Amino acid sequence: MVMTSSKENLMPKFASTFQPLIDQEGYLVNQNDLYCHEVIGKSLTILRTSKDYEKSKKDTKEILDVVLPEELSISTNSDGVKCLWVSPDEFWLLHSQQQKADIWNKIESLPAEMSMVDNSAAYGVLEFIGKKVNELLSRWMSYDLSGSLNAGKVVSTTLGQAPVIIFRTSEGKLMMMVRHSFSHYVAGLLKDGAKRV
C-alpha cells in the first residue's frame, strides 16, 4: 500500500445537494429578472486569526496574499480568492478547487495563533441575478438587502430557519452560501417564493 500525503488529496469530488431541484439549464429559479443557479467548483477555507487584527492582517497578506477585510466586508485578491469577514477573528476564503493546493501548501508558514480548516464539503454556493432578487429573498429574510447589503458587503443571517452567509459582489449580483444540510429546505423556499414574485 502506498501512503500519500493529505496535501496530495485536496481535490474532493463535487457533489451537489441542489441537483435534484435544478432545471436542465442549471437554474434553481429562471424567470424574468430573477435567476438563481448553483456555482460549482468552489472550495471554502476557514481562517482563524489572532485577536491582534493588524498583525493577522500583515501575516495573511505576506503568507496567503489575501487582505483581511474590515468588519462586514469582503476583499478579493488578484487571483480571485474572496475573503469574507465572518467575525473579528474568523474569515472565510472562497476560492476555486484549483487554488486549494496552493493555499494549503502555505499552512505551515502561518503563525501558531492562526489556523485553517477545510470546510469545502459543508456549503453550497448560490448566485442570484436580476432586479427581483431582493423581492424574492425579503419574503424569507429579515435582513434589509436593498438598504444594507451594498456591493462588497457580507452578512450572516437566516433564510427562513436556515443559517446562510450572503454577500454582494456587484450591484446586480448576490451570492448565498448554504450549508448542504439545509439545501432542500432553502431550495423549496426559493422555488415557492419565486412563484409569487
Side-chain angles (χ1 to χ4, degrees), residues 26-38:
Y27 287 94
L28 193 60
V29 177
N30 184 4
Q31 60 193 55
N32 189 34
D33 278 332
L34 181 58
Y35 308 94
C36 173
H37 69 95
E38 184 175 20

Side-chain angles (χ1 to χ4, degrees), residues 70-131:
E70 298 294 326
E71 184 175 302
L72 299 175
S73 296
I74 62 174
S75 65
T76 306
N77 76 2
S78 59
D79 293 329
V81 175
K82 295 193 181 320
C83 183
L84 288 67
W85 184 96
V86 176
S87 74
D89 60 353
E90 182 177 337
F91 300 85
W92 288 12
L93 304 178
L94 188 61
H95 50 85
S96 71
Q97 290 180 2
Q98 291 74 25
Q99 294 166 315
K100 188 173 184 176
D102 182 52
I103 289 171
W104 280 88
N105 282 334
K106 298 172 182 174
I107 191 170
E108 293 172 5
S109 300
L110 291 175
E113 65 271 10
M114 294 177 72
S115 66
M116 292 194 310
V117 175
D118 180 8
N119 214 7
S120 301
Y123 286 84
V125 182
L126 296 175
E127 179 180 67
F128 295 84
I129 300 171
K131 295 178 182 176

Side-chain angles (χ1 to χ4, degrees), residues 134 138 142-151 153 168 171 174:
N134 290 347
S138 67
S142 59
Y143 189 82
D144 180 13
L145 295 175
S146 59
S148 302
L149 195 70
N150 301 322
K153 293 294 184 184
R168 196 177 298 278
E171 284 310 315
L174 182 114

